[in-house]
Amino acid sequence: MDDAYSVQTTAAETADDDGPERLMALKDADTFLVADGWGDLKGGADGLFDHDTRLLSRLVMTVGLVRPSRLSSGVSQDNVYFTCHSTNRPLPPMGGRSAPAGVLHIERRRFVWARRLFERVRIVNHGIEDVLLPLAFDFAADFADIFQVRGTPRARRGVTEPPTQDGRRVTFRYRGLDAVERSSCLAFSEPPARLTDSRAEFMFSLPKGRRCDLYIECGPDRCDTPDEVRFRLNALQARLAMRARRRRGASIRGPRSPRFNDWLDQSRADVALLTTDLPTGPYPYAGVPWFSTPFGRDGIITAWQMLWLDPSLAKGVLTYLAMRQATETSAFQDSAPGKIMHETRGGEMSALGEVPFGLYYGGVDTTCLFVALAGAYARRTGDLDLIRRLWPNLLAATGWMINHGDINGDGLISYQRGAESGLSNQGWKDSEDSIFHVDGRFPKGPIALLEVQGYAFAAWQAMADLAALLGEGRQAEWADRAETVRALVEDRYWMEDEQFYAIALDGDGAQCRAIGSNAGHLLFSGLPSRERAHQVTRRMLGAEFRSGWGLRTLARGQARFNPMSYHNGSVWPHDTVMAAAGMARYGERRAVALLLGEIYAAASHFHLRLPELFCGFEQAPGEPPIAYPVACLPQAWAAGSVFLMLQAALGVRIDAIEGVIEVENPILPAGIERLNVTNLSVGASRVDLAFQQMDSHTAVIPRRRAGPVSVRTIR
């Protein structure tokens, strides 16, 4: 991100056998929880958040005045439950007796549902004597805006009221500078022996062989008294809702590789976790904790990754973004008529305009991607009714591309922020130092990014295709615009001496000759000539880009290369996968299989959950990839990456208009002899596909076909 809004905070680190503590995330709709491996909230990124406001900033459990000894913890594979198993350290003497360490099994089990945190603390006495158990919780609610938590300073804050109590619950209230009153409530199923504004103390008498349960709830407004019935009923609803999201669309399995299947399951569960069912349809939020909100670019790319399996995400994304399309010009919001939203936020700082992200349009690529996704969705589904409803939005988006996106009037899409409060770089690499000349100098604006021209090319092609399908009259005009962009990019961005494309053009039209992964996105759009695409592929598969865990965002040896940076040498899974899918367009299927193996190896070291990014250090024998300290985990387009990568490797193209599935030169990942794709929709038809390794090639076998759909193999 731009330095003004970059993540400055880090999670409170806790000594553990595995090093710094890994944070655990739960989410439902616009509410999410981030806690450490004990389930505690201790500061930094920790907290229970609702609509970009932290409702609970501290919740630390102690047993006998100390933290229990953790046995294990984690989030269930379906992302519904967090569970921590721990045991007691020696308890202090009570009535002349003390309990030794390791006689109590302590389980914290929690989930987030309907804007609330539900938790059960279950303690079982496995000792040979009765135990007097002192249990305590320290808590606080700071109502910090998500940007405060990230590290953006504020000169002033609103008024925090003193907490109030009523025996088993504490209510916190805050009146923001935006005149909005925010409240949260923390409630216990049992009345504490002592309850203050920041601490609840319990004393349980636990006979040998017996257990006790304590239920806790926290959320906005007043809490009902928590109990077992509420916990079970809400848990059932949370699990059923998650199951419904996970089962949308087709599924893909590798029956002889449980570990590979676990990666697929975890990735699908992460996409489901981040997907919120809005009135306009399902929308994948970008990531937890920093980007748990609709983002235009992230939502579009995640929907594109999932399009061949689950088109409902693309429909929801297109419908939501059309509703939020700009109609006015605002320098503060970086908006202009027809432009598609970059980000929306619901916190106090956004409402006050302290940050511009309440409804912000400072993404130069989102509008082009919106149009291109609409074209891909129409071909994938045959749903021309939606395209007809969106047609005015698509026309407005192309109007922005012509009238506002082409700032220099040279036929290229460029950007320059409207106000100092906005993002200085407005492509997907939006950190302040991500775009530069070969000597490291920052370019003057407006800047025309390489990959954005590829998105524009795809958008013009999509409009030409949609015009033909709808019987509109501008098909030739839009096809001509696509070819004009192609010619401009080939002429102005290609560096013959480097056999590669420049990362951008500056405001004077000079090439920013840094060598970056942006060219991989250009391959994804299909713009380059076949010869140049192969040149780009060869270089991107070389050691300067390949870390052994995927592709670096910047080639090693460039002026600002830093494998620990956000965008200048790190590895972003979605970036690697966009490049791989682009290579596949030009027949480079073995390159896709190679990169898929590297990304899979990285996922194996991250508990089968790919983070937003990780460091770009070269792979060392026997050592894992190095984590980026404040990466979102999970992140939508990282989770969706495996599905686009598999589509690229299998060479699958679905055309519901023609009622055909094309499979071109499929190749299976190394070590995977068979993959099954089930319940694949093509219009109203359904089909299962079985991919089987046969000596030197991969065969595809249609199964359980329902409806008029044909499967065509191309070799």
Side-chain angles (χ1 to χ4, degrees), residues 585-608:
R585 289 190 68 137
Y586 294 90
E588 300 280 0
R589 303 238 178 266
R590 297 202 176 276
V592 176
L594 174 70
L595 293 173
L596 176 57
E598 293 186 357
I599 287 291
Y600 175 41
S604 297
H605 288 286
F606 288 113
H607 306 277
L608 297 178

mmCIF file with all atom_site columns, all heavy atoms in Angstrom, residues 585-608:
data_model
loop_
_atom_site.group_PDB
_atom_site.id
_atom_site.type_symbol
_atom_site.label_atom_id
_atom_site.label_alt_id
_atom_site.label_comp_id
_atom_site.label_asym_id
_atom_site.label_entity_id
_atom_site.label_seq_id
_atom_site.pdbx_PDB_ins_code
_atom_site.Cartn_x
_atom_site.Cartn_y
_atom_site.Cartn_z
_atom_site.occupancy
_atom_site.B_iso_or_equiv
_atom_site.pdbx_formal_charge
_atom_site.auth_seq_id
_atom_site.auth_comp_id
_atom_site.auth_asym_id
_atom_site.auth_atom_id
_atom_site.pdbx_PDB_model_num
ATOM 1   N N   . ARG A 1 585 ? -2.013 -19.540 -22.037 1.00 0.00 ? 585 ARG A N   1
ATOM 2   C CA  . ARG A 1 585 ? -2.686 -19.035 -23.245 1.00 0.00 ? 585 ARG A CA  1
ATOM 3   C C   . ARG A 1 585 ? -1.820 -19.220 -24.479 1.00 0.00 ? 585 ARG A C   1
ATOM 4   O O   . ARG A 1 585 ? -2.322 -19.297 -25.602 1.00 0.00 ? 585 ARG A O   1
ATOM 5   C CB  . ARG A 1 585 ? -3.020 -17.546 -23.103 1.00 0.00 ? 585 ARG A CB  1
ATOM 6   C CG  . ARG A 1 585 ? -4.113 -17.222 -22.127 1.00 0.00 ? 585 ARG A CG  1
ATOM 7   C CD  . ARG A 1 585 ? -4.520 -15.769 -22.256 1.00 0.00 ? 585 ARG A CD  1
ATOM 8   N NE  . ARG A 1 585 ? -5.179 -15.519 -23.549 1.00 0.00 ? 585 ARG A NE  1
ATOM 9   C CZ  . ARG A 1 585 ? -6.269 -14.792 -23.703 1.00 0.00 ? 585 ARG A CZ  1
ATOM 10  N NH1 . ARG A 1 585 ? -6.851 -14.243 -22.650 1.00 0.00 ? 585 ARG A NH1 1
ATOM 11  N NH2 . ARG A 1 585 ? -6.786 -14.598 -24.896 1.00 0.00 ? 585 ARG A NH2 1
ATOM 12  N N   . TYR A 1 586 ? -0.529 -19.254 -24.253 1.00 0.00 ? 586 TYR A N   1
ATOM 13  C CA  . TYR A 1 586 ? 0.412  -19.392 -25.366 1.00 0.00 ? 586 TYR A CA  1
ATOM 14  C C   . TYR A 1 586 ? 0.991  -20.807 -25.432 1.00 0.00 ? 586 TYR A C   1
ATOM 15  O O   . TYR A 1 586 ? 2.054  -21.028 -26.009 1.00 0.00 ? 586 TYR A O   1
ATOM 16  C CB  . TYR A 1 586 ? 1.513  -18.347 -25.230 1.00 0.00 ? 586 TYR A CB  1
ATOM 17  C CG  . TYR A 1 586 ? 0.994  -16.932 -25.390 1.00 0.00 ? 586 TYR A CG  1
ATOM 18  C CD1 . TYR A 1 586 ? 0.539  -16.206 -24.287 1.00 0.00 ? 586 TYR A CD1 1
ATOM 19  C CD2 . TYR A 1 586 ? 0.927  -16.328 -26.643 1.00 0.00 ? 586 TYR A CD2 1
ATOM 20  C CE1 . TYR A 1 586 ? 0.044  -14.916 -24.430 1.00 0.00 ? 586 TYR A CE1 1
ATOM 21  C CE2 . TYR A 1 586 ? 0.439  -15.032 -26.792 1.00 0.00 ? 586 TYR A CE2 1
ATOM 22  C CZ  . TYR A 1 586 ? 0.000  -14.337 -25.686 1.00 0.00 ? 586 TYR A CZ  1
ATOM 23  O OH  . TYR A 1 586 ? -0.501 -13.063 -25.833 1.00 0.00 ? 586 TYR A OH  1
ATOM 24  N N   . GLY A 1 587 ? 0.283  -21.757 -24.818 1.00 0.00 ? 587 GLY A N   1
ATOM 25  C CA  . GLY A 1 587 ? 0.667  -23.161 -24.929 1.00 0.00 ? 587 GLY A CA  1
ATOM 26  C C   . GLY A 1 587 ? 1.723  -23.637 -23.961 1.00 0.00 ? 587 GLY A C   1
ATOM 27  O O   . GLY A 1 587 ? 2.197  -24.779 -24.076 1.00 0.00 ? 587 GLY A O   1
ATOM 28  N N   . GLU A 1 588 ? 2.110  -22.812 -22.994 1.00 0.00 ? 588 GLU A N   1
ATOM 29  C CA  . GLU A 1 588 ? 3.196  -23.179 -22.074 1.00 0.00 ? 588 GLU A CA  1
ATOM 30  C C   . GLU A 1 588 ? 2.651  -23.969 -20.877 1.00 0.00 ? 588 GLU A C   1
ATOM 31  O O   . GLU A 1 588 ? 2.748  -23.545 -19.729 1.00 0.00 ? 588 GLU A O   1
ATOM 32  C CB  . GLU A 1 588 ? 3.912  -21.911 -21.596 1.00 0.00 ? 588 GLU A CB  1
ATOM 33  C CG  . GLU A 1 588 ? 4.537  -21.088 -22.695 1.00 0.00 ? 588 GLU A CG  1
ATOM 34  C CD  . GLU A 1 588 ? 5.878  -21.660 -23.148 1.00 0.00 ? 588 GLU A CD  1
ATOM 35  O OE1 . GLU A 1 588 ? 6.301  -22.687 -22.587 1.00 0.00 ? 588 GLU A OE1 1
ATOM 36  O OE2 . GLU A 1 588 ? 6.494  -21.060 -24.051 1.00 0.00 ? 588 GLU A OE2 1
ATOM 37  N N   . ARG A 1 589 ? 2.091  -25.127 -21.120 1.00 0.00 ? 589 ARG A N   1
ATOM 38  C CA  . ARG A 1 589 ? 1.446  -25.884 -20.050 1.00 0.00 ? 589 ARG A CA  1
ATOM 39  C C   . ARG A 1 589 ? 2.465  -26.459 -19.063 1.00 0.00 ? 589 ARG A C   1
ATOM 40  O O   . ARG A 1 589 ? 2.181  -26.564 -17.869 1.00 0.00 ? 589 ARG A O   1
ATOM 41  C CB  . ARG A 1 589 ? 0.598  -27.009 -20.618 1.00 0.00 ? 589 ARG A CB  1
ATOM 42  C CG  . ARG A 1 589 ? -0.431 -26.532 -21.576 1.00 0.00 ? 589 ARG A CG  1
ATOM 43  C CD  . ARG A 1 589 ? -1.841 -26.914 -21.159 1.00 0.00 ? 589 ARG A CD  1
ATOM 44  N NE  . ARG A 1 589 ? -2.772 -26.365 -22.130 1.00 0.00 ? 589 ARG A NE  1
ATOM 45  C CZ  . ARG A 1 589 ? -3.380 -25.197 -21.988 1.00 0.00 ? 589 ARG A CZ  1
ATOM 46  N NH1 . ARG A 1 589 ? -3.184 -24.487 -20.905 1.00 0.00 ? 589 ARG A NH1 1
ATOM 47  N NH2 . ARG A 1 589 ? -4.187 -24.740 -22.922 1.00 0.00 ? 589 ARG A NH2 1
ATOM 48  N N   . ARG A 1 590 ? 3.637  -26.841 -19.530 1.00 0.00 ? 590 ARG A N   1
ATOM 49  C CA  . ARG A 1 590 ? 4.633  -27.392 -18.612 1.00 0.00 ? 590 ARG A CA  1
ATOM 50  C C   . ARG A 1 590 ? 5.162  -26.315 -17.669 1.00 0.00 ? 590 ARG A C   1
ATOM 51  O O   . ARG A 1 590 ? 5.518  -26.601 -16.527 1.00 0.00 ? 590 ARG A O   1
ATOM 52  C CB  . ARG A 1 590 ? 5.763  -28.066 -19.389 1.00 0.00 ? 590 ARG A CB  1
ATOM 53  C CG  . ARG A 1 590 ? 5.269  -29.252 -20.211 1.00 0.00 ? 590 ARG A CG  1
ATOM 54  C CD  . ARG A 1 590 ? 6.343  -30.248 -20.567 1.00 0.00 ? 590 ARG A CD  1
ATOM 55  N NE  . ARG A 1 590 ? 5.757  -31.390 -21.268 1.00 0.00 ? 590 ARG A NE  1
ATOM 56  C CZ  . ARG A 1 590 ? 5.198  -32.426 -20.665 1.00 0.00 ? 590 ARG A CZ  1
ATOM 57  N NH1 . ARG A 1 590 ? 5.162  -32.469 -19.334 1.00 0.00 ? 590 ARG A NH1 1
ATOM 58  N NH2 . ARG A 1 590 ? 4.688  -33.421 -21.359 1.00 0.00 ? 590 ARG A NH2 1
ATOM 59  N N   . ALA A 1 591 ? 5.202  -25.086 -18.144 1.00 0.00 ? 591 ALA A N   1
ATOM 60  C CA  . ALA A 1 591 ? 5.567  -23.984 -17.251 1.00 0.00 ? 591 ALA A CA  1
ATOM 61  C C   . ALA A 1 591 ? 4.533  -23.831 -16.146 1.00 0.00 ? 591 ALA A C   1
ATOM 62  O O   . ALA A 1 591 ? 4.870  -23.583 -14.981 1.00 0.00 ? 591 ALA A O   1
ATOM 63  C CB  . ALA A 1 591 ? 5.679  -22.679 -18.049 1.00 0.00 ? 591 ALA A CB  1
ATOM 64  N N   . VAL A 1 592 ? 3.262  -24.013 -16.505 1.00 0.00 ? 592 VAL A N   1
ATOM 65  C CA  . VAL A 1 592 ? 2.199  -23.929 -15.512 1.00 0.00 ? 592 VAL A CA  1
ATOM 66  C C   . VAL A 1 592 ? 2.365  -25.036 -14.476 1.00 0.00 ? 592 VAL A C   1
ATOM 67  O O   . VAL A 1 592 ? 2.259  -24.803 -13.262 1.00 0.00 ? 592 VAL A O   1
ATOM 68  C CB  . VAL A 1 592 ? 0.819  -24.031 -16.189 1.00 0.00 ? 592 VAL A CB  1
ATOM 69  C CG1 . VAL A 1 592 ? -0.286 -24.031 -15.141 1.00 0.00 ? 592 VAL A CG1 1
ATOM 70  C CG2 . VAL A 1 592 ? 0.623  -22.881 -17.169 1.00 0.00 ? 592 VAL A CG2 1
ATOM 71  N N   . ALA A 1 593 ? 2.623  -26.254 -14.926 1.00 0.00 ? 593 ALA A N   1
ATOM 72  C CA  . ALA A 1 593 ? 2.809  -27.369 -14.000 1.00 0.00 ? 593 ALA A CA  1
ATOM 73  C C   . ALA A 1 593 ? 3.995  -27.120 -13.071 1.00 0.00 ? 593 ALA A C   1
ATOM 74  O O   . ALA A 1 593 ? 3.946  -27.429 -11.872 1.00 0.00 ? 593 ALA A O   1
ATOM 75  C CB  . ALA A 1 593 ? 2.994  -28.665 -14.777 1.00 0.00 ? 593 ALA A CB  1
ATOM 76  N N   . LEU A 1 594 ? 5.063  -26.530 -13.592 1.00 0.00 ? 594 LEU A N   1
ATOM 77  C CA  . LEU A 1 594 ? 6.238  -26.215 -12.788 1.00 0.00 ? 594 LEU A CA  1
ATOM 78  C C   . LEU A 1 594 ? 5.885  -25.221 -11.682 1.00 0.00 ? 594 LEU A C   1
ATOM 79  O O   . LEU A 1 594 ? 6.217  -25.427 -10.509 1.00 0.00 ? 594 LEU A O   1
ATOM 80  C CB  . LEU A 1 594 ? 7.333  -25.645 -13.689 1.00 0.00 ? 594 LEU A CB  1
ATOM 81  C CG  . LEU A 1 594 ? 8.592  -25.123 -12.995 1.00 0.00 ? 594 LEU A CG  1
ATOM 82  C CD1 . LEU A 1 594 ? 9.395  -26.261 -12.409 1.00 0.00 ? 594 LEU A CD1 1
ATOM 83  C CD2 . LEU A 1 594 ? 9.447  -24.325 -13.989 1.00 0.00 ? 594 LEU A CD2 1
ATOM 84  N N   . LEU A 1 595 ? 5.213  -24.133 -12.064 1.00 0.00 ? 595 LEU A N   1
ATOM 85  C CA  . LEU A 1 595 ? 4.861  -23.101 -11.089 1.00 0.00 ? 595 LEU A CA  1
ATOM 86  C C   . LEU A 1 595 ? 3.812  -23.602 -10.104 1.00 0.00 ? 595 LEU A C   1
ATOM 87  O O   . LEU A 1 595 ? 3.830  -23.232 -8.924  1.00 0.00 ? 595 LEU A O   1
ATOM 88  C CB  . LEU A 1 595 ? 4.375  -21.841 -11.810 1.00 0.00 ? 595 LEU A CB  1
ATOM 89  C CG  . LEU A 1 595 ? 5.447  -21.119 -12.633 1.00 0.00 ? 595 LEU A CG  1
ATOM 90  C CD1 . LEU A 1 595 ? 4.838  -19.983 -13.437 1.00 0.00 ? 595 LEU A CD1 1
ATOM 91  C CD2 . LEU A 1 595 ? 6.561  -20.585 -11.722 1.00 0.00 ? 595 LEU A CD2 1
ATOM 92  N N   . LEU A 1 596 ? 2.900  -24.444 -10.575 1.00 0.00 ? 596 LEU A N   1
ATOM 93  C CA  . LEU A 1 596 ? 1.919  -25.034 -9.670  1.00 0.00 ? 596 LEU A CA  1
ATOM 94  C C   . LEU A 1 596 ? 2.616  -25.860 -8.590  1.00 0.00 ? 596 LEU A C   1
ATOM 95  O O   . LEU A 1 596 ? 2.253  -25.800 -7.411  1.00 0.00 ? 596 LEU A O   1
ATOM 96  C CB  . LEU A 1 596 ? 0.933  -25.899 -10.454 1.00 0.00 ? 596 LEU A CB  1
ATOM 97  C CG  . LEU A 1 596 ? -0.108 -26.676 -9.640  1.00 0.00 ? 596 LEU A CG  1
ATOM 98  C CD1 . LEU A 1 596 ? -0.941 -25.746 -8.778  1.00 0.00 ? 596 LEU A CD1 1
ATOM 99  C CD2 . LEU A 1 596 ? -1.005 -27.483 -10.572 1.00 0.00 ? 596 LEU A CD2 1
ATOM 100 N N   . GLY A 1 597 ? 3.634  -26.614 -8.984  1.00 0.00 ? 597 GLY A N   1
ATOM 101 C CA  . GLY A 1 597 ? 4.385  -27.388 -8.001  1.00 0.00 ? 597 GLY A CA  1
ATOM 102 C C   . GLY A 1 597 ? 5.064  -26.507 -6.971  1.00 0.00 ? 597 GLY A C   1
ATOM 103 O O   . GLY A 1 597 ? 5.095  -26.842 -5.780  1.00 0.00 ? 597 GLY A O   1
ATOM 104 N N   . GLU A 1 598 ? 5.591  -25.366 -7.405  1.00 0.00 ? 598 GLU A N   1
ATOM 105 C CA  . GLU A 1 598 ? 6.266  -24.463 -6.472  1.00 0.00 ? 598 GLU A CA  1
ATOM 106 C C   . GLU A 1 598 ? 5.281  -23.818 -5.505  1.00 0.00 ? 598 GLU A C   1
ATOM 107 O O   . GLU A 1 598 ? 5.545  -23.704 -4.298  1.00 0.00 ? 598 GLU A O   1
ATOM 108 C CB  . GLU A 1 598 ? 7.036  -23.392 -7.249  1.00 0.00 ? 598 GLU A CB  1
ATOM 109 C CG  . GLU A 1 598 ? 8.206  -23.958 -8.048  1.00 0.00 ? 598 GLU A CG  1
ATOM 110 C CD  . GLU A 1 598 ? 9.058  -22.877 -8.701  1.00 0.00 ? 598 GLU A CD  1
ATOM 111 O OE1 . GLU A 1 598 ? 8.705  -21.690 -8.569  1.00 0.00 ? 598 GLU A OE1 1
ATOM 112 O OE2 . GLU A 1 598 ? 10.066 -23.230 -9.335  1.00 0.00 ? 598 GLU A OE2 1
ATOM 113 N N   . ILE A 1 599 ? 4.131  -23.383 -6.028  1.00 0.00 ? 599 ILE A N   1
ATOM 114 C CA  . ILE A 1 599 ? 3.124  -22.763 -5.170  1.00 0.00 ? 599 ILE A CA  1
ATOM 115 C C   . ILE A 1 599 ? 2.564  -23.781 -4.180  1.00 0.00 ? 599 ILE A C   1
ATOM 116 O O   . ILE A 1 599 ? 2.316  -23.478 -3.010  1.00 0.00 ? 599 ILE A O   1
ATOM 117 C CB  . ILE A 1 599 ? 2.007  -22.149 -6.040  1.00 0.00 ? 599 ILE A CB  1
ATOM 118 C CG1 . ILE A 1 599 ? 2.511  -20.878 -6.745  1.00 0.00 ? 599 ILE A CG1 1
ATOM 119 C CG2 . ILE A 1 599 ? 0.773  -21.831 -5.212  1.00 0.00 ? 599 ILE A CG2 1
ATOM 120 C CD1 . ILE A 1 599 ? 2.770  -19.717 -5.814  1.00 0.00 ? 599 ILE A CD1 1
ATOM 121 N N   . TYR A 1 600 ? 2.370  -25.014 -4.648  1.00 0.00 ? 600 TYR A N   1
ATOM 122 C CA  . TYR A 1 600 ? 1.892  -26.082 -3.759  1.00 0.00 ? 600 TYR A CA  1
ATOM 123 C C   . TYR A 1 600 ? 2.908  -26.344 -2.646  1.00 0.00 ? 600 TYR A C   1
ATOM 124 O O   . TYR A 1 600 ? 2.543  -26.512 -1.473  1.00 0.00 ? 600 TYR A O   1
ATOM 125 C CB  . TYR A 1 600 ? 1.628  -27.344 -4.578  1.00 0.00 ? 600 TYR A CB  1
ATOM 126 C CG  . TYR A 1 600 ? 1.249  -28.565 -3.774  1.00 0.00 ? 600 TYR A CG  1
ATOM 127 C CD1 . TYR A 1 600 ? 0.386  -28.471 -2.690  1.00 0.00 ? 600 TYR A CD1 1
ATOM 128 C CD2 . TYR A 1 600 ? 1.747  -29.819 -4.112  1.00 0.00 ? 600 TYR A CD2 1
ATOM 129 C CE1 . TYR A 1 600 ? 0.027  -29.602 -1.963  1.00 0.00 ? 600 TYR A CE1 1
ATOM 130 C CE2 . TYR A 1 600 ? 1.394  -30.952 -3.390  1.00 0.00 ? 600 TYR A CE2 1
ATOM 131 C CZ  . TYR A 1 600 ? 0.538  -30.833 -2.316  1.00 0.00 ? 600 TYR A CZ  1
ATOM 132 O OH  . TYR A 1 600 ? 0.182  -31.944 -1.600  1.00 0.00 ? 600 TYR A OH  1
ATOM 133 N N   . ALA A 1 601 ? 4.187  -26.354 -2.997  1.00 0.00 ? 601 ALA A N   1
ATOM 134 C CA  . ALA A 1 601 ? 5.227  -26.558 -1.982  1.00 0.00 ? 601 ALA A CA  1
ATOM 135 C C   . ALA A 1 601 ? 5.208  -25.430 -0.952  1.00 0.00 ? 601 ALA A C   1
ATOM 136 O O   . ALA A 1 601 ? 5.362  -25.674 0.252   1.00 0.00 ? 601 ALA A O   1
ATOM 137 C CB  . ALA A 1 601 ? 6.599  -26.645 -2.655  1.00 0.00 ? 601 ALA A CB  1
ATOM 138 N N   . ALA A 1 602 ? 4.997  -24.190 -1.418  1.00 0.00 ? 602 ALA A N   1
ATOM 139 C CA  . ALA A 1 602 ? 4.906  -23.067 -0.479  1.00 0.00 ? 602 ALA A CA  1
ATOM 140 C C   . ALA A 1 602 ? 3.693  -23.226 0.428   1.00 0.00 ? 602 ALA A C   1
ATOM 141 O O   . ALA A 1 602 ? 3.778  -23.029 1.651   1.00 0.00 ? 602 ALA A O   1
ATOM 142 C CB  . ALA A 1 602 ? 4.835  -21.746 -1.248  1.00 0.00 ? 602 ALA A CB  1
ATOM 143 N N   . ALA A 1 603 ? 2.556  -23.599 -0.164  1.00 0.00 ? 603 ALA A N   1
ATOM 144 C CA  . ALA A 1 603 ? 1.339  -23.782 0.636   1.00 0.00 ? 603 ALA A CA  1
ATOM 145 C C   . ALA A 1 603 ? 1.542  -24.830 1.711   1.00 0.00 ? 603 ALA A C   1
ATOM 146 O O   . ALA A 1 603 ? 1.035  -24.703 2.834   1.00 0.00 ? 603 ALA A O   1
ATOM 147 C CB  . ALA A 1 603 ? 0.174  -24.163 -0.275  1.00 0.00 ? 603 ALA A CB  1
ATOM 148 N N   . SER A 1 604 ? 2.295  -25.874 1.408   1.00 0.00 ? 604 SER A N   1
ATOM 149 C CA  . SER A 1 604 ? 2.536  -26.943 2.375   1.00 0.00 ? 604 SER A CA  1
ATOM 150 C C   . SER A 1 604 ? 3.231  -26.421 3.620   1.00 0.00 ? 604 SER A C   1
ATOM 151 O O   . SER A 1 604 ? 3.030  -26.936 4.724   1.00 0.00 ? 604 SER A O   1
ATOM 152 C CB  . SER A 1 604 ? 3.372  -28.056 1.735   1.00 0.00 ? 604 SER A CB  1
ATOM 153 O OG  . SER A 1 604 ? 2.677  -28.646 0.652   1.00 0.00 ? 604 SER A OG  1
ATOM 154 N N   . HIS A 1 605 ? 4.048  -25.393 3.465   1.00 0.00 ? 605 HIS A N   1
ATOM 155 C CA  . HIS A 1 605 ? 4.754  -24.819 4.611   1.00 0.00 ? 605 HIS A CA  1
ATOM 156 C C   . HIS A 1 605 ? 3.919  -23.778 5.355   1.00 0.00 ? 605 HIS A C   1
ATOM 157 O O   . HIS A 1 605 ? 4.296  -23.356 6.444   1.00 0.00 ? 605 HIS A O   1
ATOM 158 C CB  . HIS A 1 605 ? 6.072  -24.188 4.153   1.00 0.00 ? 605 HIS A CB  1
ATOM 159 C CG  . HIS A 1 605 ? 7.119  -25.192 3.775   1.00 0.00 ? 605 HIS A CG  1
ATOM 160 N ND1 . HIS A 1 605 ? 7.803  -25.933 4.703   1.00 0.00 ? 605 HIS A ND1 1
ATOM 161 C CD2 . HIS A 1 605 ? 7.577  -25.592 2.557   1.00 0.00 ? 605 HIS A CD2 1
ATOM 162 C CE1 . HIS A 1 605 ? 8.663  -26.735 4.088   1.00 0.00 ? 605 HIS A CE1 1
ATOM 163 N NE2 . HIS A 1 605 ? 8.538  -26.549 2.786   1.00 0.00 ? 605 HIS A NE2 1
ATOM 164 N N   . PHE A 1 606 ? 2.818  -23.329 4.748   1.00 0.00 ? 606 PHE A N   1
ATOM 165 C CA  . PHE A 1 606 ? 1.933  -22.364 5.394   1.00 0.00 ? 606 PHE A CA  1
ATOM 166 C C   . PHE A 1 606 ? 0.625  -23.038 5.826   1.00 0.00 ? 606 PHE A C   1
ATOM 167 O O   . PHE A 1 606 ? -0.447 -22.446 5.722   1.00 0.00 ? 606 PHE A O   1
ATOM 168 C CB  . PHE A 1 606 ? 1.640  -21.193 4.443   1.00 0.00 ? 606 PHE A CB  1
ATOM 169 C CG  . PHE A 1 606 ? 2.803  -20.271 4.228   1.00 0.00 ? 606 PHE A CG  1
ATOM 170 C CD1 . PHE A 1 606 ? 3.414  -20.181 2.983   1.00 0.00 ? 606 PHE A CD1 1
ATOM 171 C CD2 . PHE A 1 606 ? 3.291  -19.492 5.255   1.00 0.00 ? 606 PHE A CD2 1
ATOM 172 C CE1 . PHE A 1 606 ? 4.491  -19.323 2.765   1.00 0.00 ? 606 PHE A CE1 1
ATOM 173 C CE2 . PHE A 1 606 ? 4.370  -18.634 5.051   1.00 0.00 ? 606 PHE A CE2 1
ATOM 174 C CZ  . PHE A 1 606 ? 4.971  -18.553 3.809   1.00 0.00 ? 606 PHE A CZ  1
ATOM 175 N N   . HIS A 1 607 ? 0.723  -24.270 6.299   1.00 0.00 ? 607 HIS A N   1
ATOM 176 C CA  . HIS A 1 607 ? -0.448 -25.009 6.783   1.00 0.00 ? 607 HIS A CA  1
ATOM 177 C C   . HIS A 1 607 ? -1.523 -25.113 5.703   1.00 0.00 ? 607 HIS A C   1
ATOM 178 O O   . HIS A 1 607 ? -2.718 -25.081 5.994   1.00 0.00 ? 607 HIS A O   1
ATOM 179 C CB  . HIS A 1 607 ? -1.018 -24.349 8.044   1.00 0.00 ? 607 HIS A CB  1
ATOM 180 C CG  . HIS A 1 607 ? -0.014 -24.159 9.142   1.00 0.00 ? 607 HIS A CG  1
ATOM 181 N ND1 . HIS A 1 607 ? 0.311  -25.151 10.025  1.00 0.00 ? 607 HIS A ND1 1
ATOM 182 C CD2 . HIS A 1 607 ? 0.764  -23.084 9.472   1.00 0.00 ? 607 HIS A CD2 1
ATOM 183 C CE1 . HIS A 1 607 ? 1.237  -24.699 10.879  1.00 0.00 ? 607 HIS A CE1 1
ATOM 184 N NE2 . HIS A 1 607 ? 1.531  -23.458 10.550  1.00 0.00 ? 607 HIS A NE2 1
ATOM 185 N N   . LEU A 1 608 ? -1.079 -25.230 4.445   1.00 0.00 ? 608 LEU A N   1
ATOM 186 C CA  . LEU A 1 608 ? -1.951 -25.376 3.270   1.00 0.00 ? 608 LEU A CA  1
ATOM 187 C C   . LEU A 1 608 ? -2.848 -24.166 3.053   1.00 0.00 ? 608 LEU A C   1
ATOM 188 O O   . LEU A 1 608 ? -3.870 -24.258 2.377   1.00 0.00 ? 608 LEU A O   1
ATOM 189 C CB  . LEU A 1 608 ? -2.795 -26.647 3.379   1.00 0.00 ? 608 LEU A CB  1
ATOM 190 C CG  . LEU A 1 608 ? -1.985 -27.949 3.401   1.00 0.00 ? 608 LEU A CG  1
ATOM 191 C CD1 . LEU A 1 608 ? -2.917 -29.138 3.562   1.00 0.00 ? 608 LEU A CD1 1
ATOM 192 C CD2 . LEU A 1 608 ? -1.151 -28.097 2.130   1.00 0.00 ? 608 LEU A CD2 1
#
